[in-house]
Amino acid sequence: MFDAKTYVKRRELLKKQVPSGLILFLGNEDSPMNYAANTYHFRQDSSFLYFYGLDSPGLAAVIDVEEQKDMLFGNDIGIEDIIWMGYLPTLKERAAKVGVNETAPLKDLEGMLKEAAQKGRPIHFLPPYRAESQMKLLAWLGVPPQESKSKSSPELIKAVVAQRSVKSEEEIAQIEIALKTSYKMYITAMHMAQPGIYEKDIAGRIDGIAMADGGATAFPTILTINGQILHNHDHGNLLEKGRLLVVDAGAESPLHYASDITRTIPVGGKFSAKQKEIYEIVLAGHESAIKGIKPGIMYKDVHLQTAKVIASGLKSAGLMKGDVEEAVSQGAHALFFPHGLGHMLGLDVHDMENLGESYVGYDHTVNRSDQFGLAYLRLAKELRPNYVLTVEPGIYFIPALIDTWKKEKKCLPFIAYDKLEAYRDFGGIRIEDNILVTKDGSRVLGRLIPKKAAKVEQAATL
Ligand code: GLY
Ligand code: MN
Ligand code: MN
């Protein structure tokens, strides 16, 4: 974990943003797969990690804003636990590592919360996303699960989002550690992307690289020759020459910061002319987005600018037509690029998504669009220095979407529907990198993973 001072400073800052009452942070619990002792890989809650750094189940924490108290709740382990799980420092020792002086057994927390509630003091908590946390809120605060989101604290959410959005140097260094793992994962995936290999052969190998580096994957790996299915988690297909392999994968650093990269690889190491034409359009959109990123710009505008690059490329390829500005303003490009340009990245791959996209990606200056495609943009607001985000444009040929739009005669002046028939089995292309917003521009984090078509081909050639 980071030095205790980091966590103390983070909590001090937080305390100043929340006017009164108690701030309650719930750590995550072990989650059983099929019986209690057979658990999924433990993942601590990211906000708990951010403010308390402690990476084990069974913890909760309270900050009493008026009384300036900072308390950690949990139970010390007994001999039974030591036999099965090994030694764990005492709660006091663990608390000291993150600068918390007061500790108490978990059973005392309920009384403390109930007493505060009786006095009418506000108890701030973040929206829970796990059933165990919802159960605690029900038992301790009487908040029914279906209301646990609406009863969470906007003041706390806003304060946490403001802090977690701006990455410190030590956090950026963690993301770069995760990206070192990503580099190895992608060089391996490119090398392995040969005819006769199964998707699962590569997925298993690259997930193993993340594990071998001491972490885990940051999200379930997407590795598919059906890249047109955006979050395809099936790994059963055999790779054949002529197909494109989309690999969207991430690793976690030891402190759980994520990387999130996508590359699209021609199976066997050679793009066809048709594939290369579309690849170059996606790459042009990707590069123009990175160039456009700087403090003060709205990410929605970067998204729209990228959409124009993509629409203009598709027009040159004969797949779109008409006025590019008009096509993008009517959302015609979304037939091919139906998702947002990117999202914040940090302790979560979609950073802070559980706190609500309207807080993380939007603010009073920008409303969420209801236009197909643009509506899925996770990050739209003005960028600030030390935000870390992804740039991940794509072009996909989704037969069901093409058929639906064609039937509805949607965006007829802008789409060359007759030309799309020849692309029904094309799949998709996405290129994703992780970007730091600097004082006056942006920096691509991590070592360059082959991205130009010729470099990808080279890395994918045996
Ligand atoms: N890995 C999902 C995404 O790129 O957002
Ligand atoms: Mn991704
Ligand atoms: Mn992403």
Side-chain angles (χ1 to χ4, degrees):
M1 65 186 70
F2 297 129
D3 191 88
K5 282 194 207 106
T6 294
Y7 301 104
V8 171
K9 232 166 73 189
R10 287 173 176 179
R11 296 194 299 271
E12 283 301 322
L13 188 58
L14 180 69
K15 238 184 276 178
K16 291 190 188 121
Q17 313 303 316
V18 177
S20 65
L22 303 187
I23 303 171
L24 170 65
F25 283 107
L26 299 176
N28 279 342
E29 301 297 341
D30 263 328
S31 190
M33 278 192 257
N34 48 350
Y35 53 92
N38 199 23
T39 59
Y40 288 105
H41 158 78
F42 175 73
R43 177 54 158 81
Q44 184 58 288
D45 172 73
S46 295
S47 289
F48 195 88
L49 276 177
Y50 183 84
F51 290 103
Y52 293 91
L54 296 170
D55 197 6
S56 48
L59 299 172
V62 168
I63 297 172
D64 186 322
V65 177
E66 284 97 339
E67 294 197 16
Q68 294 288 306
K69 266 195 190 164
D70 195 355
M71 295 184 75
L72 183 71
F73 293 85
N75 296 329
D76 280 325
I77 62 170
I79 187 67
E80 286 267 333
D81 304 298
I82 292 172
I83 293 167
W84 292 98
M85 315 290 287
Y87 178 74
L88 191 68
T90 64
L91 187 65
K92 266 248 162 301
E93 287 166 334
R94 287 188 277 161
K97 282 200 178 131
V98 292
V100 178
N101 302 320
E102 267 193 76
T103 60
L106 211 47
K107 67 174 172 42
D108 292 1
L109 178 55
E110 183 170 352
M112 183 184 183
L113 294 174
K114 286 197 164 142
E115 193 187 316
Q118 266 163 16
K119 289 184 185 154
R121 301 186 65 200
I123 299 174
H124 305 271
F125 57 87
L126 297 174
Y129 52 91
R130 286 202 180 184
E132 293 89 345
S133 300
Q134 291 183 322
M135 299 283 283
K136 287 177 193 166
L137 292 174
L138 176 64
W140 299 342
L141 301 175
V143 176
Q146 64 274 22
E147 290 174 23
S148 59
K149 203 168 166 192
S150 62
K151 295 229 159 106
S152 61
S153 163
E155 291 105 320
L156 180 60
I157 294 172
K158 282 184 202 161
V160 171
V161 168
Q163 259 182 275
R164 282 182 56 189
S165 295
V166 179
K167 271 51 179 192
S168 66
E169 292 306 316
E170 58 189 352
E171 290 182 285
I172 295 163
Q174 283 291 316
I175 295 172
E176 297 215 89
I177 291 173
L179 283 163
K180 260 191 194 162
T181 302
S182 287
Y183 181 85
K184 290 190 259 180
M185 290 162 77
Y186 277 88
I187 294 298
T188 302
M190 287 176 184
H191 192 71
M192 287 182 75
Q194 305 302 328
I197 294 275
Y198 281 90
E199 293 165 344
K200 62 188 177 192
D201 296 328
I202 310 176
R205 188 73 70 82
I206 68 170
D207 284 8
I209 291 173
M211 289 172 79
D213 269 1
T217 54
F219 54 91
T221 295
I222 297 163
L223 190 149
T224 179
I225 52 171
N226 288 315
Q228 77 285 0
I229 304 172
L230 299 185
H231 280 178
N232 187 351
H233 292 131
D234 181 71
H235 297 148
N237 292 309
L238 183 68
L239 270 53
E240 287 166 358
K241 208 167 169 48
R243 296 300 298 257
L244 290 171
L245 180 69
V246 171
V247 183
D248 182 346
E252 280 195 356
S253 74
L255 299 192
H256 300 288
Y257 285 81
S259 57
D260 181 14
I261 298 291
T262 306
R263 289 293 184 270
T264 305
I265 310 160
V267 173
K270 190 85 194 136
F271 287 107
S272 69
K274 190 171 164 187
Q275 289 169 341
K276 186 150 184 287
E277 182 176 40
I278 303 297
Y279 189 90
E280 295 295 354
I281 299 169
V282 179
L283 186 60
H286 174 91
E287 285 177 340
S288 101
I290 293 172
K291 266 205 201 105
I293 290 174
K294 58 181 179 199
I297 198 163
M298 310 282 285
Y299 205 49
K300 183 180 178 180
D301 291 339
V302 184
H303 172 92
L304 288 171
Q305 179 53 33
T306 309
K308 283 177 206 164
V309 173
I310 285 179
S312 148
L314 287 169
K315 185 175 165 182
S316 303
L319 303 180
M320 287 187 76
K321 53 190 184 177
D323 182 67
V324 167
E325 295 272 337
E326 192 52 30
V328 168
S329 82
Q330 294 204 19
H333 63 283
L335 175 61
F336 308 96
F337 174 31
H339 58 72
L341 181 62
H343 50 84
M344 295 266 206
L345 180 80
L347 279 163
D348 307 299
V349 60
H350 291 171
D351 208 23
M352 302 170 279
E353 189 157 295
N354 68 302
L355 302 183
E357 253 171 51
S358 53
Y359 291 109
V360 178
Y362 290 79
D363 59 17
H364 64 282
T365 65
V366 55
N367 289 324
R368 188 184 286 276
S369 163
D370 55 12
Q371 187 184 72
F372 175 77
L374 196 52
Y376 304 137
L377 184 59
R378 291 191 163 94
L379 175 61
K381 71 186 182 188
E382 186 181 317
L383 302 182
R384 301 251 169 94
N386 284 42
Y387 280 9
V388 175
L389 43 92
T390 68
V391 166
E392 50 180 305
I395 293 179
Y396 313 88
F397 295 88
I398 307 168
L401 187 62
I402 294 170
D403 292 345
T404 305
W405 277 40
K406 192 173 174 183
K407 208 164 126 201
E408 291 171 0
K409 298 190 170 36
K410 210 168 154 180
C411 295
L412 265 186
F414 307 113
I415 311 282
Y417 284 107
D418 53 326
K419 301 271 169 47
L420 296 186
E421 286 308 309
Y423 286 79
R424 288 183 81 86
D425 61 355
F426 184 96
I429 292 174
R430 177 163 66 255
I431 306 171
E432 176 174 23
D433 267 338
N434 304 156
I435 315 295
L436 171 70
V437 182
T438 59
K439 267 203 273 319
D440 49 11
S442 73
R443 175 161 77 82
V444 180
L445 293 175
R447 178 174 172 188
L448 176 69
I449 296 170
K451 188 155 66 171
K452 295 220 178 292
K455 295 284 181 196
V456 176
E457 287 183 336
Q458 203 180 340
T461 300
L462 284 177

